Amino acid sequence: MKSKWILFLPLVFLMNCVTPEEDHSQQTNDIEEVETEPVLTATDTVEASIQYYWDTLTFTGFDDNADYWYAYFETDQGESWVMITDEMQEDDMKHSIVKVKWKWDTFYEAGEGDAPYQQKKLVEMELLEKRGSFEEWLNDFAEDYFSENFDQQKYAHEKLKVSRAFNPGAYCNLGYTGEINDYREIKGNKAVVKAGFPKGDFCEGYAGVSSGIYFKEITEKQLPSYTVLSEEDDFIREKLLLPSAFKRSKINVGQVIDREYHYAYLYFLEIDGDWYLWVEDLCDCSA
């Protein structure tokens, strides 16, 4: 009898340890589906926190002669911007209209202490409109201007008449809009183009100065005044002002030297990226 109990007990023990498989079908139907958010890496988190800016600017130059490379720009309001860049910018892009993507970044002063500072950092630059420099344009203009037959219509804006000033007497009068060849006295010699006015005297002459056009950029406040005929048939002094439609235009003035003497002041306007002759001032020093 004793041996029978010994065989039976292990079988009972094994049967009690086996757990029947649970039915999960009903539980699965009751569970709600939950959308999980994508896992952001450290790089993604940093990139998302950076504030980028986009602006349309005029590219004015590039400098790689410092600890950082610098790209130079100008806003529509004439404000100069400097951005640090990791890429060399082509010089033939100067004066062109570009769209830039930039951000504020931290840089360090070279030298003792390496003090940190905030500076605009150029991220991307896209060309919107290719433009050449005024000096390049003026070289072509000067070649025509000093020729025997100058075609003024080639350089006149369709909505802006070319005005001219003379002094038939003691006053420098502005208003003539006829053809330039009606009174042309300039000689057909080779002309140079240079930035900055030459040294000399308006009345006494410019000894040793080559014939050509010497130019500089000015503001509207620096435009001259002329004598004009008023509605009351009186001669009054009136300041030359930008036409209302072109108030944001840039102004360059060129001094024409012919055979070492002053010949004319030429005023040019930049309109929609191109340059045009606006005023030819032929008054002499007697005015």
Side-chain angles (χ1 to χ4, degrees), residues 117-159:
Y117 65 95
Q118 290 287 303
Q119 177 66 48
K120 295 182 179 72
K121 170 70 179 293
L122 179 63
V123 179
E124 296 177 14
M125 186 167 80
E126 175 188 351
L127 176 65
L128 296 181
E129 183 182 341
K130 185 69 180 292
R131 294 182 179 180
S133 70
F134 173 73
E135 187 169 356
E136 292 172 354
W137 179 88
L138 191 60
N139 269 290
D140 293 335
F141 175 90
E143 184 176 348
D144 284 350
Y145 189 78
F146 275 82
S147 66
E148 295 292 341
N149 296 298
F150 174 67
D151 182 9
Q152 71 175 43
Q153 295 304 319
K154 182 179 177 180
Y155 303 97
H157 191 274
E158 59 182 2
K159 296 181 180 179

mmCIF file of all heavy atoms in Angstrom, residues 117-159:
data_model
loop_
_atom_site.group_PDB
_atom_site.id
_atom_site.type_symbol
_atom_site.label_atom_id
_atom_site.label_comp_id
_atom_site.label_asym_id
_atom_site.label_seq_id
_atom_site.Cartn_x
_atom_site.Cartn_y
_atom_site.Cartn_z
ATOM 1 N N TYR A 117 30.781 86.615 -29.276
ATOM 2 C CA TYR A 117 29.901 87.680 -29.731
ATOM 3 C C TYR A 117 28.892 87.103 -30.714
ATOM 4 O O TYR A 117 29.102 86.045 -31.310
ATOM 5 C CB TYR A 117 30.690 88.824 -30.383
ATOM 6 C CG TYR A 117 31.413 88.451 -31.652
ATOM 7 C CD1 TYR A 117 30.848 88.668 -32.906
ATOM 8 C CD2 TYR A 117 32.683 87.874 -31.600
ATOM 9 C CE1 TYR A 117 31.499 88.339 -34.070
ATOM 10 C CE2 TYR A 117 33.358 87.526 -32.758
ATOM 11 C CZ TYR A 117 32.769 87.760 -33.994
ATOM 12 O OH TYR A 117 33.427 87.420 -35.143
ATOM 13 N N GLN A 118 27.770 87.797 -30.881
ATOM 14 C CA GLN A 118 26.717 87.389 -31.799
ATOM 15 C C GLN A 118 26.900 88.076 -33.147
ATOM 16 O O GLN A 118 27.227 89.258 -33.212
ATOM 17 C CB GLN A 118 25.340 87.742 -31.222
ATOM 18 C CG GLN A 118 24.929 86.895 -30.028
ATOM 19 C CD GLN A 118 24.553 85.486 -30.449
ATOM 20 O OE1 GLN A 118 23.679 85.284 -31.277
ATOM 21 N NE2 GLN A 118 25.225 84.490 -29.867
ATOM 22 N N GLN A 119 26.700 87.320 -34.228
ATOM 23 C CA GLN A 119 26.869 87.856 -35.572
ATOM 24 C C GLN A 119 25.938 87.115 -36.530
ATOM 25 O O GLN A 119 25.648 85.931 -36.342
ATOM 26 C CB GLN A 119 28.322 87.683 -36.025
ATOM 27 C CG GLN A 119 28.608 88.142 -37.446
ATOM 28 C CD GLN A 119 28.459 89.639 -37.622
ATOM 29 O OE1 GLN A 119 28.973 90.406 -36.827
ATOM 30 N NE2 GLN A 119 27.709 90.059 -38.625
ATOM 31 N N LYS A 120 25.467 87.812 -37.548
ATOM 32 C CA LYS A 120 24.663 87.155 -38.585
ATOM 33 C C LYS A 120 25.516 86.117 -39.307
ATOM 34 O O LYS A 120 26.656 86.390 -39.674
ATOM 35 C CB LYS A 120 24.135 88.181 -39.587
ATOM 36 C CG LYS A 120 23.145 89.194 -39.027
ATOM 37 C CD LYS A 120 22.667 90.121 -40.140
ATOM 38 C CE LYS A 120 21.654 91.139 -39.640
ATOM 39 N NZ LYS A 120 22.305 92.169 -38.806
ATOM 40 N N LYS A 121 24.944 84.940 -39.542
ATOM 41 C CA LYS A 121 25.641 83.854 -40.251
ATOM 42 C C LYS A 121 24.849 83.525 -41.518
ATOM 43 O O LYS A 121 23.662 83.221 -41.459
ATOM 44 C CB LYS A 121 25.731 82.621 -39.349
ATOM 45 C CG LYS A 121 26.213 81.348 -40.051
ATOM 46 C CD LYS A 121 27.673 81.436 -40.426
ATOM 47 C CE LYS A 121 28.158 80.144 -41.108
ATOM 48 N NZ LYS A 121 28.158 78.987 -40.177
ATOM 49 N N LEU A 122 25.529 83.600 -42.668
ATOM 50 C CA LEU A 122 24.901 83.275 -43.944
ATOM 51 C C LEU A 122 24.762 81.760 -44.072
ATOM 52 O O LEU A 122 25.744 81.025 -43.959
ATOM 53 C CB LEU A 122 25.733 83.831 -45.098
ATOM 54 C CG LEU A 122 25.232 83.554 -46.520
ATOM 55 C CD1 LEU A 122 23.864 84.202 -46.742
ATOM 56 C CD2 LEU A 122 26.230 84.059 -47.549
ATOM 57 N N VAL A 123 23.537 81.307 -44.314
ATOM 58 C CA VAL A 123 23.268 79.874 -44.466
ATOM 59 C C VAL A 123 23.124 79.496 -45.941
ATOM 60 O O VAL A 123 23.735 78.543 -46.411
ATOM 61 C CB VAL A 123 21.995 79.468 -43.678
ATOM 62 C CG1 VAL A 123 21.710 77.985 -43.851
ATOM 63 C CG2 VAL A 123 22.143 79.821 -42.200
ATOM 64 N N GLU A 124 22.321 80.262 -46.675
ATOM 65 C CA GLU A 124 22.136 80.020 -48.106
ATOM 66 C C GLU A 124 22.009 81.357 -48.826
ATOM 67 O O GLU A 124 21.554 82.344 -48.245
ATOM 68 C CB GLU A 124 20.869 79.195 -48.380
ATOM 69 C CG GLU A 124 20.883 77.790 -47.822
ATOM 70 C CD GLU A 124 19.566 77.074 -48.062
ATOM 71 O OE1 GLU A 124 18.755 77.571 -48.889
ATOM 72 O OE2 GLU A 124 19.327 76.037 -47.422
ATOM 73 N N MET A 125 22.389 81.390 -50.118
ATOM 74 C CA MET A 125 22.223 82.589 -50.935
ATOM 75 C C MET A 125 21.772 82.174 -52.322
ATOM 76 O O MET A 125 22.405 81.344 -52.969
ATOM 77 C CB MET A 125 23.515 83.398 -51.013
ATOM 78 C CG MET A 125 23.339 84.735 -51.726
ATOM 79 S SD MET A 125 24.746 85.858 -51.518
ATOM 80 C CE MET A 125 25.886 85.193 -52.733
ATOM 81 N N GLU A 126 20.670 82.757 -52.775
ATOM 82 C CA GLU A 126 20.100 82.433 -54.080
ATOM 83 C C GLU A 126 20.055 83.683 -54.950
ATOM 84 O O GLU A 126 19.574 84.732 -54.525
ATOM 85 C CB GLU A 126 18.686 81.866 -53.905
ATOM 86 C CG GLU A 126 17.957 81.610 -55.210
ATOM 87 C CD GLU A 126 16.502 81.240 -55.011
ATOM 88 O OE1 GLU A 126 16.089 81.009 -53.852
ATOM 89 O OE2 GLU A 126 15.749 81.203 -56.013
ATOM 90 N N LEU A 127 20.574 83.598 -56.166
ATOM 91 C CA LEU A 127 20.575 84.725 -57.097
ATOM 92 C C LEU A 127 19.172 84.967 -57.633
ATOM 93 O O LEU A 127 18.533 84.062 -58.155
ATOM 94 C CB LEU A 127 21.534 84.447 -58.257
ATOM 95 C CG LEU A 127 21.568 85.505 -59.370
ATOM 96 C CD1 LEU A 127 22.105 86.818 -58.840
ATOM 97 C CD2 LEU A 127 22.415 85.015 -60.537
ATOM 98 N N LEU A 128 18.688 86.205 -57.485
ATOM 99 C CA LEU A 128 17.383 86.578 -58.023
ATOM 100 C C LEU A 128 17.513 87.388 -59.302
ATOM 101 O O LEU A 128 16.764 87.205 -60.253
ATOM 102 C CB LEU A 128 16.585 87.380 -56.987
ATOM 103 C CG LEU A 128 16.209 86.660 -55.692
ATOM 104 C CD1 LEU A 128 15.417 87.588 -54.794
ATOM 105 C CD2 LEU A 128 15.405 85.396 -55.984
ATOM 106 N N GLU A 129 18.477 88.320 -59.315
ATOM 107 C CA GLU A 129 18.652 89.190 -60.484
ATOM 108 C C GLU A 129 20.112 89.592 -60.604
ATOM 109 O O GLU A 129 20.660 90.212 -59.694
ATOM 110 C CB GLU A 129 17.775 90.437 -60.358
ATOM 111 C CG GLU A 129 17.846 91.362 -61.554
ATOM 112 C CD GLU A 129 17.000 92.614 -61.388
ATOM 113 O OE1 GLU A 129 16.085 92.600 -60.530
ATOM 114 O OE2 GLU A 129 17.251 93.599 -62.102
ATOM 115 N N LYS A 130 20.736 89.224 -61.712
ATOM 116 C CA LYS A 130 22.143 89.553 -61.934
ATOM 117 C C LYS A 130 22.267 90.998 -62.396
ATOM 118 O O LYS A 130 21.606 91.420 -63.332
ATOM 119 C CB LYS A 130 22.735 88.608 -62.988
ATOM 120 C CG LYS A 130 24.234 88.784 -63.213
ATOM 121 C CD LYS A 130 25.007 88.321 -62.006
ATOM 122 C CE LYS A 130 26.508 88.484 -62.228
ATOM 123 N NZ LYS A 130 27.030 87.557 -63.255
ATOM 124 N N ARG A 131 23.117 91.739 -61.709
ATOM 125 C CA ARG A 131 23.343 93.140 -62.072
ATOM 126 C C ARG A 131 24.835 93.427 -62.136
ATOM 127 O O ARG A 131 25.617 92.890 -61.360
ATOM 128 C CB ARG A 131 22.711 94.094 -61.042
ATOM 129 C CG ARG A 131 21.196 94.034 -60.982
ATOM 130 C CD ARG A 131 20.672 95.036 -59.983
ATOM 131 N NE ARG A 131 19.217 95.036 -59.912
ATOM 132 C CZ ARG A 131 18.515 95.836 -59.105
ATOM 133 N NH1 ARG A 131 19.133 96.685 -58.296
ATOM 134 N NH2 ARG A 131 17.195 95.793 -59.107
ATOM 135 N N GLY A 132 25.209 94.301 -63.065
ATOM 136 C CA GLY A 132 26.596 94.720 -63.154
ATOM 137 C C GLY A 132 26.827 95.986 -62.339
ATOM 138 O O GLY A 132 25.897 96.594 -61.814
ATOM 139 N N SER A 133 28.054 96.404 -62.239
ATOM 140 C CA SER A 133 28.382 97.601 -61.476
ATOM 141 C C SER A 133 28.121 98.859 -62.309
ATOM 142 O O SER A 133 28.084 98.813 -63.547
ATOM 143 C CB SER A 133 29.845 97.569 -61.049
ATOM 144 O OG SER A 133 30.689 97.743 -62.178
ATOM 145 N N PHE A 134 27.980 99.989 -61.630
ATOM 146 C CA PHE A 134 27.791 101.264 -62.329
ATOM 147 C C PHE A 134 29.022 101.595 -63.156
ATOM 148 O O PHE A 134 28.909 102.120 -64.278
ATOM 149 C CB PHE A 134 27.522 102.374 -61.314
ATOM 150 C CG PHE A 134 27.479 103.748 -61.933
ATOM 151 C CD1 PHE A 134 26.405 104.141 -62.713
ATOM 152 C CD2 PHE A 134 28.527 104.635 -61.752
ATOM 153 C CE1 PHE A 134 26.356 105.394 -63.305
ATOM 154 C CE2 PHE A 134 28.491 105.900 -62.338
ATOM 155 C CZ PHE A 134 27.407 106.284 -63.110
ATOM 156 N N GLU A 135 30.201 101.285 -62.635
ATOM 157 C CA GLU A 135 31.425 101.609 -63.358
ATOM 158 C C GLU A 135 31.492 100.871 -64.694
ATOM 159 O O GLU A 135 31.925 101.432 -65.705
ATOM 160 C CB GLU A 135 32.648 101.266 -62.510
ATOM 161 C CG GLU A 135 33.960 101.717 -63.123
ATOM 162 C CD GLU A 135 35.117 101.617 -62.157
ATOM 163 O OE1 GLU A 135 34.890 101.264 -60.979
ATOM 164 O OE2 GLU A 135 36.263 101.897 -62.570
ATOM 165 N N GLU A 136 31.064 99.612 -64.707
ATOM 166 C CA GLU A 136 31.041 98.864 -65.966
ATOM 167 C C GLU A 136 30.076 99.510 -66.958
ATOM 168 O O GLU A 136 30.378 99.648 -68.144
ATOM 169 C CB GLU A 136 30.625 97.419 -65.690
ATOM 170 C CG GLU A 136 31.659 96.623 -64.904
ATOM 171 C CD GLU A 136 31.141 95.270 -64.490
ATOM 172 O OE1 GLU A 136 29.935 94.994 -64.712
ATOM 173 O OE2 GLU A 136 31.911 94.474 -63.936
ATOM 174 N N TRP A 137 28.907 99.887 -66.451
ATOM 175 C CA TRP A 137 27.915 100.537 -67.309
ATOM 176 C C TRP A 137 28.441 101.872 -67.824
ATOM 177 O O TRP A 137 28.270 102.223 -68.992
ATOM 178 C CB TRP A 137 26.622 100.737 -66.520
ATOM 179 C CG TRP A 137 25.536 101.413 -67.292
ATOM 180 C CD1 TRP A 137 24.604 100.827 -68.098
ATOM 181 C CD2 TRP A 137 25.265 102.828 -67.347
ATOM 182 N NE1 TRP A 137 23.767 101.774 -68.642
ATOM 183 C CE2 TRP A 137 24.156 103.012 -68.199
ATOM 184 C CE3 TRP A 137 25.850 103.938 -66.754
ATOM 185 C CZ2 TRP A 137 23.621 104.276 -68.463
ATOM 186 C CZ3 TRP A 137 25.329 105.193 -67.021
ATOM 187 C CH2 TRP A 137 24.225 105.355 -67.864
ATOM 188 N N LEU A 138 29.113 102.626 -66.937
ATOM 189 C CA LEU A 138 29.599 103.959 -67.307
ATOM 190 C C LEU A 138 30.709 103.881 -68.350
ATOM 191 O O LEU A 138 30.870 104.809 -69.156
ATOM 192 C CB LEU A 138 30.090 104.701 -66.055
ATOM 193 C CG LEU A 138 30.386 106.191 -66.217
ATOM 194 C CD1 LEU A 138 29.133 106.940 -66.654
ATOM 195 C CD2 LEU A 138 30.921 106.778 -64.912
ATOM 196 N N ASN A 139 31.482 102.818 -68.347
ATOM 197 C CA ASN A 139 32.514 102.654 -69.376
ATOM 198 C C ASN A 139 31.892 102.615 -70.768
ATOM 199 O O ASN A 139 32.400 103.248 -71.704
ATOM 200 C CB ASN A 139 33.311 101.372 -69.116
ATOM 201 C CG ASN A 139 34.535 101.607 -68.255
ATOM 202 O OD1 ASN A 139 35.498 102.227 -68.687
ATOM 203 N ND2 ASN A 139 34.484 101.123 -67.034
ATOM 204 N N ASP A 140 30.801 101.864 -70.907
ATOM 205 C CA ASP A 140 30.107 101.815 -72.200
ATOM 206 C C ASP A 140 29.499 103.169 -72.542
ATOM 207 O O ASP A 140 29.558 103.622 -73.689
ATOM 208 C CB ASP A 140 29.012 100.743 -72.164
ATOM 209 C CG ASP A 140 29.585 99.343 -72.046
ATOM 210 O OD1 ASP A 140 30.742 99.140 -72.466
ATOM 211 O OD2 ASP A 140 28.878 98.468 -71.526
ATOM 212 N N PHE A 141 28.902 103.818 -71.515
ATOM 213 C CA PHE A 141 28.302 105.137 -71.739
ATOM 214 C C PHE A 141 29.360 106.145 -72.180
ATOM 215 O O PHE A 141 29.146 106.923 -73.123
ATOM 216 C CB PHE A 141 27.629 105.607 -70.447
ATOM 217 C CG PHE A 141 27.074 107.004 -70.523
ATOM 218 C CD1 PHE A 141 25.769 107.220 -70.941
ATOM 219 C CD2 PHE A 141 27.853 108.105 -70.178
ATOM 220 C CE1 PHE A 141 25.248 108.511 -71.025
ATOM 221 C CE2 PHE A 141 27.347 109.394 -70.256
ATOM 222 C CZ PHE A 141 26.039 109.594 -70.676
ATOM 223 N N ALA A 142 30.514 106.164 -71.502
ATOM 224 C CA ALA A 142 31.570 107.140 -71.812
ATOM 225 C C ALA A 142 32.090 106.974 -73.227
ATOM 226 O O ALA A 142 32.379 107.961 -73.921
ATOM 227 C CB ALA A 142 32.705 107.001 -70.806
ATOM 228 N N GLU A 143 32.209 105.732 -73.665
ATOM 229 C CA GLU A 143 32.679 105.493 -75.032
ATOM 230 C C GLU A 143 31.728 106.118 -76.045
ATOM 231 O O GLU A 143 32.159 106.722 -77.042
ATOM 232 C CB GLU A 143 32.808 103.985 -75.270
ATOM 233 C CG GLU A 143 33.390 103.633 -76.623
ATOM 234 C CD GLU A 143 33.587 102.145 -76.800
ATOM 235 O OE1 GLU A 143 33.491 101.401 -75.796
ATOM 236 O OE2 GLU A 143 33.826 101.724 -77.953
ATOM 237 N N ASP A 144 30.430 106.004 -75.784
ATOM 238 C CA ASP A 144 29.438 106.619 -76.674
ATOM 239 C C ASP A 144 29.400 108.135 -76.510
ATOM 240 O O ASP A 144 29.290 108.885 -77.493
ATOM 241 C CB ASP A 144 28.051 106.047 -76.397
ATOM 242 C CG ASP A 144 27.885 104.649 -76.970
ATOM 243 O OD1 ASP A 144 28.768 104.208 -77.727
ATOM 244 O OD2 ASP A 144 26.879 103.997 -76.649
ATOM 245 N N TYR A 145 29.484 108.594 -75.259
ATOM 246 C CA TYR A 145 29.348 110.021 -74.974
ATOM 247 C C TYR A 145 30.457 110.831 -75.655
ATOM 248 O O TYR A 145 30.233 111.959 -76.119
ATOM 249 C CB TYR A 145 29.370 110.245 -73.463
ATOM 250 C CG TYR A 145 29.017 111.639 -73.025
ATOM 251 C CD1 TYR A 145 27.689 112.054 -72.987
ATOM 252 C CD2 TYR A 145 29.999 112.538 -72.647
ATOM 253 C CE1 TYR A 145 27.350 113.343 -72.585
ATOM 254 C CE2 TYR A 145 29.673 113.827 -72.239
ATOM 255 C CZ TYR A 145 28.351 114.222 -72.208
ATOM 256 O OH TYR A 145 28.022 115.502 -71.805
ATOM 257 N N PHE A 146 31.660 110.271 -75.716
ATOM 258 C CA PHE A 146 32.787 110.968 -76.323
ATOM 259 C C PHE A 146 32.915 110.687 -77.824
ATOM 260 O O PHE A 146 33.861 111.133 -78.459
ATOM 261 C CB PHE A 146 34.093 110.577 -75.615
ATOM 262 C CG PHE A 146 34.374 111.382 -74.380
ATOM 263 C CD1 PHE A 146 33.769 111.054 -73.182
ATOM 264 C CD2 PHE A 146 35.231 112.463 -74.413
ATOM 265 C CE1 PHE A 146 34.022 111.777 -72.025
ATOM 266 C CE2 PHE A 146 35.493 113.202 -73.274
ATOM 267 C CZ PHE A 146 34.879 112.863 -72.073
ATOM 268 N N SER A 147 31.972 109.961 -78.380
ATOM 269 C CA SER A 147 32.024 109.659 -79.812
ATOM 270 C C SER A 147 31.462 110.830 -80.618
ATOM 271 O O SER A 147 30.887 111.774 -80.064
ATOM 272 C CB SER A 147 31.239 108.386 -80.120
ATOM 273 O OG SER A 147 29.857 108.597 -79.880
ATOM 274 N N GLU A 148 31.598 110.762 -81.919
ATOM 275 C CA GLU A 148 31.126 111.837 -82.781
ATOM 276 C C GLU A 148 29.600 111.952 -82.780
ATOM 277 O O GLU A 148 29.047 113.044 -82.861
ATOM 278 C CB GLU A 148 31.624 111.598 -84.217
ATOM 279 C CG GLU A 148 33.137 111.660 -84.372
ATOM 280 C CD GLU A 148 33.668 113.072 -84.153
ATOM 281 O OE1 GLU A 148 32.878 114.036 -84.249
ATOM 282 O OE2 GLU A 148 34.870 113.209 -83.888
ATOM 283 N N ASN A 149 28.917 110.829 -82.678
ATOM 284 C CA ASN A 149 27.447 110.826 -82.720
ATOM 285 C C ASN A 149 26.904 110.038 -81.528
ATOM 286 O O ASN A 149 26.796 108.804 -81.582
ATOM 287 C CB ASN A 149 26.950 110.205 -84.031
ATOM 288 C CG ASN A 149 27.359 111.024 -85.243
ATOM 289 O OD1 ASN A 149 26.966 112.184 -85.374
ATOM 290 N ND2 ASN A 149 28.159 110.428 -86.106
ATOM 291 N N PHE A 150 26.580 110.765 -80.491
ATOM 292 C CA PHE A 150 26.068 110.144 -79.263
ATOM 293 C C PHE A 150 24.551 109.960 -79.371
ATOM 294 O O PHE A 150 23.813 110.887 -79.691
ATOM 295 C CB PHE A 150 26.399 111.035 -78.063
ATOM 296 C CG PHE A 150 25.798 110.551 -76.773
ATOM 297 C CD1 PHE A 150 26.221 109.372 -76.194
ATOM 298 C CD2 PHE A 150 24.810 111.287 -76.143
ATOM 299 C CE1 PHE A 150 25.677 108.930 -75.008
ATOM 300 C CE2 PHE A 150 24.255 110.856 -74.955
ATOM 301 C CZ PHE A 150 24.685 109.669 -74.380
ATOM 302 N N ASP A 151 24.075 108.737 -79.090
ATOM 303 C CA ASP A 151 22.652 108.433 -79.150
ATOM 304 C C ASP A 151 22.069 108.501 -77.739
ATOM 305 O O ASP A 151 22.142 107.550 -76.969
ATOM 306 C CB ASP A 151 22.433 107.039 -79.744
ATOM 307 C CG ASP A 151 20.953 106.683 -79.872
ATOM 308 O OD1 ASP A 151 20.099 107.579 -79.659
ATOM 309 O OD2 ASP A 151 20.653 105.510 -80.178
ATOM 310 N N GLN A 152 21.454 109.642 -77.405
ATOM 311 C CA GLN A 152 20.953 109.824 -76.047
ATOM 312 C C GLN A 152 19.792 108.892 -75.728
ATOM 313 O O GLN A 152 19.582 108.513 -74.574
ATOM 314 C CB GLN A 152 20.512 111.269 -75.826
ATOM 315 C CG GLN A 152 19.227 111.635 -76.571
ATOM 316 C CD GLN A 152 18.761 113.033 -76.238
ATOM 317 O OE1 GLN A 152 19.568 113.941 -76.185
ATOM 318 N NE2 GLN A 152 17.480 113.195 -76.020
ATOM 319 N N GLN A 153 19.010 108.506 -76.716
ATOM 320 C CA GLN A 153 17.846 107.660 -76.468
ATOM 321 C C GLN A 153 18.236 106.286 -75.933
ATOM 322 O O GLN A 153 17.454 105.625 -75.250
ATOM 323 C CB GLN A 153 17.027 107.508 -77.759
ATOM 324 C CG GLN A 153 16.415 108.802 -78.261
ATOM 325 C CD GLN A 153 15.538 109.469 -77.206
ATOM 326 O OE1 GLN A 153 14.791 108.815 -76.499
ATOM 327 N NE2 GLN A 153 15.642 110.782 -77.117
ATOM 328 N N LYS A 154 19.415 105.873 -76.213
ATOM 329 C CA LYS A 154 19.913 104.586 -75.733
ATOM 330 C C LYS A 154 20.033 104.569 -74.222
ATOM 331 O O LYS A 154 19.976 103.509 -73.589
ATOM 332 C CB LYS A 154 21.276 104.305 -76.390
ATOM 333 C CG LYS A 154 21.888 102.972 -76.026
ATOM 334 C CD LYS A 154 23.205 102.807 -76.763
ATOM 335 C CE LYS A 154 23.889 101.506 -76.367
ATOM 336 N NZ LYS A 154 25.184 101.329 -77.070
ATOM 337 N N TYR A 155 20.185 105.744 -73.622
ATOM 338 C CA TYR A 155 20.425 105.839 -72.183
ATOM 339 C C TYR A 155 19.313 106.566 -71.437
ATOM 340 O O TYR A 155 19.461 106.898 -70.262
ATOM 341 C CB TYR A 155 21.767 106.545 -71.925
ATOM 342 C CG TYR A 155 22.914 105.829 -72.602
ATOM 343 C CD1 TYR A 155 23.393 106.257 -73.840
ATOM 344 C CD2 TYR A 155 23.496 104.707 -72.012
ATOM 345 C CE1 TYR A 155 24.436 105.589 -74.467
ATOM 346 C CE2 TYR A 155 24.537 104.033 -72.635
ATOM 347 C CZ TYR A 155 25.002 104.485 -73.862
ATOM 348 O OH TYR A 155 26.031 103.812 -74.485
ATOM 349 N N ALA A 156 18.216 106.861 -72.107
ATOM 350 C CA ALA A 156 17.096 107.570 -71.479
ATOM 351 C C ALA A 156 16.012 106.586 -71.073
ATOM 352 O O ALA A 156 15.675 105.668 -71.822
ATOM 353 C CB ALA A 156 16.531 108.610 -72.440
ATOM 354 N N HIS A 157 15.455 106.793 -69.895
ATOM 355 C CA HIS A 157 14.334 105.963 -69.434
ATOM 356 C C HIS A 157 13.056 106.412 -70.129
ATOM 357 O O HIS A 157 12.834 107.601 -70.353
ATOM 358 C CB HIS A 157 14.174 106.085 -67.920
ATOM 359 C CG HIS A 157 13.231 105.093 -67.319
ATOM 360 N ND1 HIS A 157 11.875 105.305 -67.242
ATOM 361 C CD2 HIS A 157 13.447 103.875 -66.770
ATOM 362 C CE1 HIS A 157 11.300 104.265 -66.663
ATOM 363 N NE2 HIS A 157 12.225 103.378 -66.362
ATOM 364 N N GLU A 158 12.192 105.437 -70.453
ATOM 365 C CA GLU A 158 10.973 105.759 -71.208
ATOM 366 C C GLU A 158 10.029 106.678 -70.455
ATOM 367 O O GLU A 158 9.227 107.381 -71.069
ATOM 368 C CB GLU A 158 10.243 104.462 -71.575
ATOM 369 C CG GLU A 158 9.846 103.613 -70.379
ATOM 370 C CD GLU A 158 9.161 102.322 -70.774
ATOM 371 O OE1 GLU A 158 9.026 102.067 -71.984
ATOM 372 O OE2 GLU A 158 8.750 101.573 -69.878
ATOM 373 N N LYS A 159 10.133 106.688 -69.123
ATOM 374 C CA LYS A 159 9.242 107.535 -68.323
ATOM 375 C C LYS A 159 9.972 108.721 -67.680
ATOM 376 O O LYS A 159 9.446 109.364 -66.787
ATOM 377 C CB LYS A 159 8.576 106.703 -67.227
ATOM 378 C CG LYS A 159 7.665 105.601 -67.757
ATOM 379 C CD LYS A 159 7.015 104.833 -66.621
ATOM 380 C CE LYS A 159 6.099 103.745 -67.150
ATOM 381 N NZ LYS A 159 5.468 102.957 -66.042
#
